[in-house]
Amino acid sequence: MTTAVETPFIRTIEWDMMDKSKFLPLSMLSSFSVRCCLYPLTVIKTRLQIQRKSHMYTGMIDAYRKIYQLEGISGLYRGFWISSIQIVSGVSYVFTYEGVRHVLNQDPVTANFDPRIKALIGGASASIVGQTFVVPFDVLSQHLMVLGVRYKHGKLVVDKTGMNPLGVTFEQGKSRAQITAEIVRLIYQRDGFRGFYRGYVASLCAYVPNSALWWGFYTFFQDELFKIFPNWVSHLFIQSVAGTLGGFTTTIITNPLDVVRARLQVQRLDSMCNAIRVLWQEEGMHMFTKGLSARLVQSACFSFSIILGYETIKRVSIHEEYKSYVRW
């Protein structure tokens, strides 16, 4: 009597198992779709992080309500077209992550490393490359996010002249492209080329650990959930839940660094130490939770959506010879 041998399913689809001509365009499409859907949460998070105490908004729901009432749906998408250019950095991020993991798997010294360590190293490397591309666009989009919004006579108002964080007003009737070009000119005029990399070190300090921890926790939670859930449960569902849990955990740990980064880039503070000192004076212990609710919701939605799209695209792009070893 013979016993059936269980198929050795592949949990992690590796770089050399995929058709890159399918993977690249689908990754760009997925990245744009997720960014488009979740961008309002980025605007809300940024507004909450840069306000002093709770003068403008008392929380995520209050921020959403006030932005929508005062500025309409366009207020929730301020700076989106500049931010959407970051899709290119998103592709370089994924390529770096997968490439580093591939190199680690091939190298005889690192091939036997724990998968969580490989994921952590890959995530950190990808973030360094990604942030180098993304910071200038991040600086511009954050200036546009808070354009013309201020607190006046006890009320939140949108200044129709378009006062921006650089303290300059723009005439009515200017297009978004003209206003963006003016902001670019002012940043370069005041700070030179380094103005576009304001907060770069803070971004690295915030996002490199964030990326490394996120991929490390994603791999950890994935392994643990595979032990808990029965075999018939969808692998894609387990991976999406693992991504969400990884995002939650990482966000709570790294939130203060993200607040410091936002303050540096928008309010033009001169150093991380000064930004931390100002935050502590203004917020006290609240600096650790500033904008956290919006960031947690953003992280949960982003992590679930990104992993759902990312792992689906990997399955669609996998070479024919491996398809029978992959479960959905």
Short mmCIF file of all heavy atoms in Angstrom, two decimals, residues 216-276:
data_model
loop_
_atom_site.label_atom_id
_atom_site.label_comp_id
_atom_site.label_asym_id
_atom_site.label_seq_id
_atom_site.Cartn_x
_atom_site.Cartn_y
_atom_site.Cartn_z
N GLY A 216 10.95 42.08 8.28
CA GLY A 216 11.29 41.07 9.29
C GLY A 216 10.06 40.55 10.01
O GLY A 216 9.87 39.33 10.18
N PHE A 217 9.19 41.48 10.45
CA PHE A 217 7.95 41.09 11.13
C PHE A 217 7.01 40.36 10.17
O PHE A 217 6.30 39.43 10.58
CB PHE A 217 7.25 42.31 11.72
CG PHE A 217 7.81 42.76 13.04
CD1 PHE A 217 8.24 44.06 13.23
CD2 PHE A 217 7.89 41.87 14.11
CE1 PHE A 217 8.76 44.47 14.45
CE2 PHE A 217 8.41 42.27 15.34
CZ PHE A 217 8.84 43.58 15.51
N TYR A 218 6.98 40.78 8.91
CA TYR A 218 6.13 40.11 7.92
C TYR A 218 6.52 38.64 7.80
O TYR A 218 5.65 37.74 7.82
CB TYR A 218 6.26 40.81 6.57
CG TYR A 218 5.67 40.03 5.41
CD1 TYR A 218 4.33 39.68 5.39
CD2 TYR A 218 6.48 39.63 4.33
CE1 TYR A 218 3.80 38.95 4.32
CE2 TYR A 218 5.96 38.92 3.27
CZ TYR A 218 4.62 38.58 3.27
OH TYR A 218 4.09 37.86 2.22
N THR A 219 7.81 38.38 7.69
CA THR A 219 8.28 36.99 7.59
C THR A 219 8.00 36.23 8.88
O THR A 219 7.57 35.06 8.84
CB THR A 219 9.79 36.97 7.29
OG1 THR A 219 10.06 37.76 6.12
CG2 THR A 219 10.30 35.56 7.06
N PHE A 220 8.22 36.88 10.03
CA PHE A 220 7.97 36.25 11.33
C PHE A 220 6.50 35.88 11.50
O PHE A 220 6.16 34.73 11.83
CB PHE A 220 8.41 37.18 12.46
CG PHE A 220 7.95 36.75 13.83
CD1 PHE A 220 8.57 35.71 14.49
CD2 PHE A 220 6.87 37.38 14.45
CE1 PHE A 220 8.14 35.29 15.75
CE2 PHE A 220 6.43 36.97 15.70
CZ PHE A 220 7.06 35.93 16.35
N PHE A 221 5.60 36.84 11.27
CA PHE A 221 4.17 36.59 11.44
C PHE A 221 3.66 35.57 10.43
O PHE A 221 2.78 34.76 10.73
CB PHE A 221 3.37 37.89 11.31
CG PHE A 221 3.44 38.77 12.53
CD1 PHE A 221 3.91 40.07 12.44
CD2 PHE A 221 3.02 38.31 13.77
CE1 PHE A 221 3.99 40.89 13.56
CE2 PHE A 221 3.08 39.11 14.91
CZ PHE A 221 3.57 40.40 14.79
N GLN A 222 4.23 35.59 9.23
CA GLN A 222 3.85 34.62 8.21
C GLN A 222 4.17 33.20 8.68
O GLN A 222 3.32 32.30 8.59
CB GLN A 222 4.58 34.93 6.90
CG GLN A 222 4.13 34.07 5.74
CD GLN A 222 4.87 34.42 4.45
OE1 GLN A 222 4.68 33.78 3.43
NE2 GLN A 222 5.72 35.42 4.47
N ASP A 223 5.37 32.99 9.21
CA ASP A 223 5.77 31.67 9.70
C ASP A 223 4.87 31.21 10.85
O ASP A 223 4.47 30.04 10.91
CB ASP A 223 7.23 31.70 10.17
CG ASP A 223 8.21 31.86 9.01
OD1 ASP A 223 7.81 31.60 7.86
OD2 ASP A 223 9.37 32.24 9.26
N GLU A 224 4.57 32.16 11.76
CA GLU A 224 3.73 31.80 12.91
C GLU A 224 2.30 31.49 12.49
O GLU A 224 1.68 30.56 13.03
CB GLU A 224 3.75 32.94 13.94
CG GLU A 224 5.11 33.20 14.58
CD GLU A 224 5.68 31.95 15.24
OE1 GLU A 224 4.95 31.31 16.02
OE2 GLU A 224 6.85 31.62 14.95
N LEU A 225 1.76 32.27 11.55
CA LEU A 225 0.37 32.04 11.10
C LEU A 225 0.24 30.74 10.32
O LEU A 225 -0.80 30.07 10.40
CB LEU A 225 -0.09 33.22 10.24
CG LEU A 225 -0.33 34.55 10.97
CD1 LEU A 225 -0.62 35.67 9.99
CD2 LEU A 225 -1.47 34.40 11.98
N PHE A 226 1.28 30.36 9.59
CA PHE A 226 1.25 29.07 8.89
C PHE A 226 1.15 27.91 9.87
O PHE A 226 0.59 26.85 9.57
CB PHE A 226 2.49 28.91 7.99
CG PHE A 226 2.32 29.47 6.61
CD1 PHE A 226 3.16 30.47 6.14
CD2 PHE A 226 1.32 29.00 5.77
CE1 PHE A 226 3.02 30.99 4.86
CE2 PHE A 226 1.16 29.51 4.48
CZ PHE A 226 2.01 30.51 4.04
N LYS A 227 1.72 28.10 11.07
CA LYS A 227 1.64 27.06 12.10
C LYS A 227 0.25 26.98 12.72
O LYS A 227 -0.21 25.91 13.13
CB LYS A 227 2.66 27.34 13.21
CG LYS A 227 4.11 27.28 12.78
CD LYS A 227 5.03 27.69 13.91
CE LYS A 227 6.49 27.78 13.48
NZ LYS A 227 7.35 28.28 14.58
N ILE A 228 -0.43 28.13 12.79
CA ILE A 228 -1.73 28.22 13.46
C ILE A 228 -2.88 27.80 12.56
O ILE A 228 -3.74 27.02 12.94
CB ILE A 228 -1.97 29.67 13.98
CG1 ILE A 228 -0.93 30.03 15.04
CG2 ILE A 228 -3.38 29.81 14.55
CD1 ILE A 228 -0.95 31.49 15.43
N PHE A 229 -2.88 28.34 11.31
CA PHE A 229 -4.01 28.08 10.41
C PHE A 229 -3.94 26.69 9.80
O PHE A 229 -2.84 26.18 9.54
CB PHE A 229 -4.02 29.12 9.28
CG PHE A 229 -4.54 30.47 9.69
CD1 PHE A 229 -3.65 31.52 9.93
CD2 PHE A 229 -5.90 30.70 9.85
CE1 PHE A 229 -4.12 32.77 10.31
CE2 PHE A 229 -6.37 31.94 10.23
CZ PHE A 229 -5.49 32.98 10.46
N PRO A 230 -5.09 26.05 9.56
CA PRO A 230 -5.10 24.73 8.89
C PRO A 230 -4.63 24.86 7.45
O PRO A 230 -4.61 25.95 6.87
CB PRO A 230 -6.58 24.31 8.96
CG PRO A 230 -7.34 25.58 9.20
CD PRO A 230 -6.44 26.47 9.98
N ASN A 231 -4.27 23.72 6.84
CA ASN A 231 -3.67 23.71 5.51
C ASN A 231 -4.58 24.25 4.41
O ASN A 231 -4.11 24.73 3.38
CB ASN A 231 -3.24 22.28 5.14
CG ASN A 231 -2.06 21.82 5.98
OD1 ASN A 231 -1.26 22.63 6.44
ND2 ASN A 231 -1.98 20.50 6.21
N TRP A 232 -5.93 24.16 4.63
CA TRP A 232 -6.84 24.57 3.57
C TRP A 232 -7.00 26.09 3.46
O TRP A 232 -7.55 26.60 2.49
CB TRP A 232 -8.23 23.93 3.77
CG TRP A 232 -8.84 24.16 5.13
CD1 TRP A 232 -8.78 23.32 6.20
CD2 TRP A 232 -9.59 25.31 5.54
NE1 TRP A 232 -9.45 23.86 7.27
CE2 TRP A 232 -9.95 25.08 6.90
CE3 TRP A 232 -9.99 26.48 4.93
CZ2 TRP A 232 -10.71 26.00 7.63
CZ3 TRP A 232 -10.74 27.39 5.66
CH2 TRP A 232 -11.09 27.16 6.99
N VAL A 233 -6.50 26.83 4.45
CA VAL A 233 -6.63 28.29 4.42
C VAL A 233 -5.72 28.87 3.33
O VAL A 233 -4.58 28.43 3.15
CB VAL A 233 -6.26 28.91 5.79
CG1 VAL A 233 -6.28 30.45 5.72
CG2 VAL A 233 -7.22 28.42 6.86
N SER A 234 -6.22 29.85 2.61
CA SER A 234 -5.49 30.48 1.51
C SER A 234 -4.14 31.03 1.97
O SER A 234 -4.06 31.76 2.96
CB SER A 234 -6.33 31.63 0.93
OG SER A 234 -5.55 32.48 0.13
N HIS A 235 -3.07 30.68 1.26
CA HIS A 235 -1.74 31.20 1.57
C HIS A 235 -1.70 32.72 1.37
O HIS A 235 -1.04 33.44 2.12
CB HIS A 235 -0.69 30.55 0.66
CG HIS A 235 -0.31 29.17 1.12
ND1 HIS A 235 0.82 28.52 0.66
CD2 HIS A 235 -0.88 28.33 2.02
CE1 HIS A 235 0.91 27.32 1.24
NE2 HIS A 235 -0.12 27.19 2.06
N LEU A 236 -2.39 33.21 0.34
CA LEU A 236 -2.42 34.63 0.04
C LEU A 236 -3.08 35.41 1.18
O LEU A 236 -2.63 36.50 1.56
CB LEU A 236 -3.16 34.89 -1.27
CG LEU A 236 -3.07 36.30 -1.86
CD1 LEU A 236 -1.63 36.71 -2.11
CD2 LEU A 236 -3.89 36.37 -3.16
N PHE A 237 -4.13 34.84 1.75
CA PHE A 237 -4.81 35.46 2.89
C PHE A 237 -3.88 35.52 4.11
O PHE A 237 -3.79 36.55 4.78
CB PHE A 237 -6.08 34.67 3.24
CG PHE A 237 -6.74 35.13 4.51
CD1 PHE A 237 -7.49 36.29 4.55
CD2 PHE A 237 -6.61 34.38 5.68
CE1 PHE A 237 -8.09 36.72 5.73
CE2 PHE A 237 -7.20 34.79 6.87
CZ PHE A 237 -7.96 35.97 6.88
N ILE A 238 -3.20 34.42 4.37
CA ILE A 238 -2.27 34.38 5.50
C ILE A 238 -1.17 35.43 5.33
O ILE A 238 -0.81 36.14 6.27
CB ILE A 238 -1.65 32.97 5.64
CG1 ILE A 238 -2.71 31.97 6.09
CG2 ILE A 238 -0.47 32.97 6.64
CD1 ILE A 238 -2.24 30.52 6.11
N GLN A 239 -0.64 35.55 4.12
CA GLN A 239 0.41 36.52 3.86
C GLN A 239 -0.09 37.96 4.03
O GLN A 239 0.61 38.83 4.56
CB GLN A 239 0.98 36.31 2.46
CG GLN A 239 1.81 35.04 2.35
CD GLN A 239 2.17 34.70 0.91
OE1 GLN A 239 1.39 34.91 -0.01
NE2 GLN A 239 3.37 34.16 0.72
N SER A 240 -1.33 38.22 3.60
CA SER A 240 -1.91 39.56 3.74
C SER A 240 -2.12 39.92 5.21
O SER A 240 -1.86 41.06 5.62
CB SER A 240 -3.24 39.64 2.98
OG SER A 240 -3.06 39.39 1.60
N VAL A 241 -2.59 38.95 6.00
CA VAL A 241 -2.76 39.19 7.44
C VAL A 241 -1.40 39.42 8.10
O VAL A 241 -1.25 40.30 8.96
CB VAL A 241 -3.49 37.99 8.11
CG1 VAL A 241 -3.50 38.14 9.62
CG2 VAL A 241 -4.92 37.89 7.58
N ALA A 242 -0.41 38.63 7.70
CA ALA A 242 0.95 38.79 8.25
C ALA A 242 1.50 40.18 7.93
O ALA A 242 2.14 40.82 8.78
CB ALA A 242 1.88 37.72 7.68
N GLY A 243 1.26 40.67 6.72
CA GLY A 243 1.70 42.01 6.34
C GLY A 243 1.03 43.08 7.19
O GLY A 243 1.68 44.05 7.62
N THR A 244 -0.27 42.91 7.46
CA THR A 244 -1.02 43.87 8.29
C THR A 244 -0.48 43.89 9.71
O THR A 244 -0.26 44.98 10.29
CB THR A 244 -2.51 43.51 8.31
OG1 THR A 244 -3.01 43.41 6.96
CG2 THR A 244 -3.32 44.56 9.06
N LEU A 245 -0.24 42.73 10.29
CA LEU A 245 0.31 42.66 11.65
C LEU A 245 1.71 43.25 11.71
O LEU A 245 2.07 43.95 12.67
CB LEU A 245 0.34 41.20 12.12
CG LEU A 245 -1.03 40.53 12.36
CD1 LEU A 245 -0.85 39.05 12.66
CD2 LEU A 245 -1.78 41.22 13.50
N GLY A 246 2.51 42.98 10.67
CA GLY A 246 3.85 43.56 10.60
C GLY A 246 3.80 45.07 10.51
O GLY A 246 4.60 45.76 11.15
N GLY A 247 2.85 45.59 9.74
CA GLY A 247 2.69 47.04 9.61
C GLY A 247 2.28 47.69 10.92
O GLY A 247 2.82 48.74 11.29
N PHE A 248 1.35 47.08 11.63
CA PHE A 248 0.90 47.60 12.93
C PHE A 248 2.07 47.67 13.91
O PHE A 248 2.29 48.70 14.57
CB PHE A 248 -0.19 46.67 13.51
CG PHE A 248 -1.57 47.24 13.41
CD1 PHE A 248 -2.44 46.81 12.43
CD2 PHE A 248 -1.98 48.23 14.29
CE1 PHE A 248 -3.72 47.34 12.34
CE2 PHE A 248 -3.26 48.76 14.20
CZ PHE A 248 -4.13 48.32 13.21
N THR A 249 2.79 46.58 14.03
CA THR A 249 3.90 46.50 14.99
C THR A 249 4.98 47.52 14.68
O THR A 249 5.46 48.24 15.56
CB THR A 249 4.51 45.08 14.98
OG1 THR A 249 3.47 44.11 15.13
CG2 THR A 249 5.52 44.91 16.10
N THR A 250 5.35 47.60 13.41
CA THR A 250 6.42 48.52 13.00
C THR A 250 6.00 49.97 13.19
O THR A 250 6.81 50.80 13.62
CB THR A 250 6.78 48.27 11.52
OG1 THR A 250 7.13 46.89 11.36
CG2 THR A 250 7.94 49.13 11.09
N THR A 251 4.76 50.30 12.88
CA THR A 251 4.27 51.67 12.99
C THR A 251 4.34 52.17 14.43
O THR A 251 4.77 53.31 14.70
CB THR A 251 2.83 51.77 12.48
OG1 THR A 251 2.81 51.45 11.08
CG2 THR A 251 2.25 53.16 12.68
N ILE A 252 3.94 51.35 15.37
CA ILE A 252 3.96 51.74 16.79
C ILE A 252 5.40 52.02 17.25
O ILE A 252 5.66 52.97 17.98
CB ILE A 252 3.31 50.64 17.65
CG1 ILE A 252 1.81 50.57 17.36
CG2 ILE A 252 3.54 50.90 19.14
CD1 ILE A 252 1.11 49.36 17.95
N ILE A 253 6.33 51.19 16.78
CA ILE A 253 7.74 51.34 17.19
C ILE A 253 8.37 52.59 16.59
O ILE A 253 9.12 53.31 17.28
CB ILE A 253 8.55 50.09 16.78
CG1 ILE A 253 8.07 48.86 17.57
CG2 ILE A 253 10.05 50.30 17.01
CD1 ILE A 253 8.65 47.55 17.08
N THR A 254 8.07 52.89 15.33
CA THR A 254 8.80 53.94 14.60
C THR A 254 8.06 55.27 14.49
O THR A 254 8.58 56.22 13.89
CB THR A 254 9.15 53.46 13.18
OG1 THR A 254 7.92 53.21 12.45
CG2 THR A 254 9.99 52.20 13.21
N ASN A 255 6.86 55.39 15.04
CA ASN A 255 6.08 56.62 14.87
C ASN A 255 6.81 57.91 15.26
O ASN A 255 6.75 58.90 14.52
CB ASN A 255 4.75 56.52 15.64
CG ASN A 255 3.80 57.63 15.27
OD1 ASN A 255 3.34 57.72 14.13
ND2 ASN A 255 3.52 58.51 16.22
N PRO A 256 7.50 57.98 16.42
CA PRO A 256 8.18 59.24 16.79
C PRO A 256 9.19 59.70 15.74
O PRO A 256 9.31 60.90 15.47
CB PRO A 256 8.88 58.89 18.11
CG PRO A 256 8.12 57.73 18.66
CD PRO A 256 7.67 56.96 17.47
N LEU A 257 9.90 58.76 15.12
CA LEU A 257 10.87 59.11 14.09
C LEU A 257 10.18 59.70 12.86
O LEU A 257 10.72 60.61 12.22
CB LEU A 257 11.69 57.87 13.69
CG LEU A 257 12.66 57.33 14.73
CD1 LEU A 257 13.20 55.98 14.30
CD2 LEU A 257 13.81 58.31 14.96
N ASP A 258 8.99 59.20 12.53
CA ASP A 258 8.26 59.72 11.38
C ASP A 258 7.76 61.13 11.64
O ASP A 258 7.73 61.98 10.74
CB ASP A 258 7.08 58.79 11.04
CG ASP A 258 6.51 59.08 9.67
OD1 ASP A 258 7.30 59.14 8.70
OD2 ASP A 258 5.29 59.25 9.56
N VAL A 259 7.36 61.43 12.88
CA VAL A 259 6.93 62.78 13.26
C VAL A 259 8.10 63.76 13.12
O VAL A 259 7.95 64.85 12.58
CB VAL A 259 6.37 62.81 14.70
CG1 VAL A 259 5.98 64.23 15.10
CG2 VAL A 259 5.16 61.89 14.83
N VAL A 260 9.27 63.37 13.62
CA VAL A 260 10.47 64.20 13.52
C VAL A 260 10.80 64.47 12.05
O VAL A 260 11.11 65.61 11.66
CB VAL A 260 11.67 63.52 14.22
CG1 VAL A 260 12.96 64.26 13.90
CG2 VAL A 260 11.44 63.46 15.72
N ARG A 261 10.71 63.44 11.20
CA ARG A 261 10.98 63.60 9.77
C ARG A 261 10.04 64.62 9.14
O ARG A 261 10.47 65.53 8.39
CB ARG A 261 10.83 62.26 9.07
CG ARG A 261 10.98 62.30 7.55
CD ARG A 261 10.37 61.06 6.91
NE ARG A 261 8.96 60.95 7.20
CZ ARG A 261 8.00 61.61 6.56
NH1 ARG A 261 8.31 62.45 5.59
NH2 ARG A 261 6.73 61.44 6.88
N ALA A 262 8.74 64.51 9.43
CA ALA A 262 7.76 65.43 8.86
C ALA A 262 8.02 66.87 9.30
O ALA A 262 7.94 67.81 8.50
CB ALA A 262 6.35 64.99 9.25
N ARG A 263 8.34 67.06 10.59
CA ARG A 263 8.61 68.41 11.10
C ARG A 263 9.85 69.01 10.42
O ARG A 263 9.88 70.19 10.09
CB ARG A 263 8.82 68.35 12.61
CG ARG A 263 7.54 68.14 13.42
CD ARG A 263 6.63 69.36 13.34
NE ARG A 263 5.47 69.24 14.19
CZ ARG A 263 5.37 69.75 15.42
NH1 ARG A 263 6.40 70.39 15.95
NH2 ARG A 263 4.26 69.61 16.11
N LEU A 264 10.88 68.22 10.24
CA LEU A 264 12.11 68.70 9.61
C LEU A 264 11.86 69.15 8.18
O LEU A 264 12.37 70.19 7.74
CB LEU A 264 13.17 67.60 9.63
CG LEU A 264 14.06 67.49 10.87
CD1 LEU A 264 14.88 66.21 10.80
CD2 LEU A 264 14.99 68.68 10.99
N GLN A 265 11.08 68.37 7.43
CA GLN A 265 10.90 68.64 6.02
C GLN A 265 9.97 69.81 5.76
O GLN A 265 10.16 70.57 4.81
CB GLN A 265 10.37 67.38 5.31
CG GLN A 265 11.41 66.27 5.23
CD GLN A 265 10.90 65.02 4.54
OE1 GLN A 265 9.69 64.77 4.52
NE2 GLN A 265 11.80 64.23 4.00
N VAL A 266 8.94 69.98 6.59
CA VAL A 266 7.95 71.02 6.34
C VAL A 266 8.25 72.31 7.08
O VAL A 266 8.14 73.40 6.52
CB VAL A 266 6.52 70.51 6.69
CG1 VAL A 266 5.50 71.62 6.50
CG2 VAL A 266 6.16 69.31 5.84
N GLN A 267 8.65 72.21 8.35
CA GLN A 267 8.85 73.40 9.17
C GLN A 267 10.29 73.92 9.14
O GLN A 267 10.64 74.86 9.83
CB GLN A 267 8.41 73.13 10.61
CG GLN A 267 6.91 72.88 10.70
CD GLN A 267 6.44 72.60 12.11
OE1 GLN A 267 7.24 72.37 13.01
NE2 GLN A 267 5.14 72.61 12.29
N ARG A 268 11.13 73.29 8.35
CA ARG A 268 12.50 73.75 8.09
C ARG A 268 13.33 73.90 9.36
O ARG A 268 14.10 74.85 9.51
CB ARG A 268 12.47 75.07 7.31
CG ARG A 268 11.66 75.00 6.03
CD ARG A 268 11.61 76.28 5.24
NE ARG A 268 12.88 76.50 4.57
CZ ARG A 268 13.72 77.48 4.88
NH1 ARG A 268 13.45 78.29 5.88
NH2 ARG A 268 14.84 77.64 4.21
N LEU A 269 13.17 72.98 10.30
CA LEU A 269 14.02 72.98 11.49
C LEU A 269 15.42 72.52 11.08
O LEU A 269 15.59 71.80 10.10
CB LEU A 269 13.43 72.05 12.55
CG LEU A 269 12.02 72.44 13.05
CD1 LEU A 269 11.48 71.38 13.99
CD2 LEU A 269 12.04 73.80 13.73
N ASP A 270 16.42 72.96 11.84
CA ASP A 270 17.79 72.78 11.36
C ASP A 270 18.43 71.43 11.67
O ASP A 270 19.46 71.10 11.09
CB ASP A 270 18.69 73.91 11.89
CG ASP A 270 18.64 74.03 13.41
OD1 ASP A 270 18.02 73.15 14.05
OD2 ASP A 270 19.21 75.00 13.95
N SER A 271 17.87 70.65 12.59
CA SER A 271 18.48 69.35 12.91
C SER A 271 17.47 68.44 13.58
O SER A 271 16.43 68.90 14.08
CB SER A 271 19.69 69.54 13.84
OG SER A 271 19.25 69.98 15.12
N MET A 272 17.81 67.15 13.59
CA MET A 272 16.94 66.18 14.27
C MET A 272 16.85 66.48 15.76
O MET A 272 15.78 66.40 16.36
CB MET A 272 17.47 64.76 14.05
CG MET A 272 17.16 64.18 12.70
SD MET A 272 17.68 62.44 12.59
CE MET A 272 16.54 61.67 13.75
N CYS A 273 18.00 66.82 16.36
CA CYS A 273 18.01 67.10 17.81
C CYS A 273 17.11 68.28 18.14
O CYS A 273 16.36 68.25 19.13
CB CYS A 273 19.44 67.38 18.28
SG CYS A 273 20.51 65.93 18.23
N ASN A 274 17.15 69.33 17.30
CA ASN A 274 16.30 70.50 17.51
C ASN A 274 14.83 70.14 17.34
O ASN A 274 13.97 70.60 18.10
CB ASN A 274 16.69 71.62 16.54
CG ASN A 274 16.00 72.93 16.87
OD1 ASN A 274 15.74 73.24 18.03
ND2 ASN A 274 15.69 73.71 15.85
N ALA A 275 14.54 69.31 16.33
CA ALA A 275 13.16 68.89 16.09
C ALA A 275 12.62 68.09 17.28
O ALA A 275 11.47 68.28 17.70
CB ALA A 275 13.08 68.05 14.81
N ILE A 276 13.44 67.20 17.81
CA ILE A 276 13.04 66.40 18.97
C ILE A 276 12.82 67.30 20.19
O ILE A 276 11.84 67.15 20.94
CB ILE A 276 14.09 65.31 19.29
CG1 ILE A 276 14.12 64.28 18.16
CG2 ILE A 276 13.80 64.64 20.62
CD1 ILE A 276 15.30 63.32 18.23
#
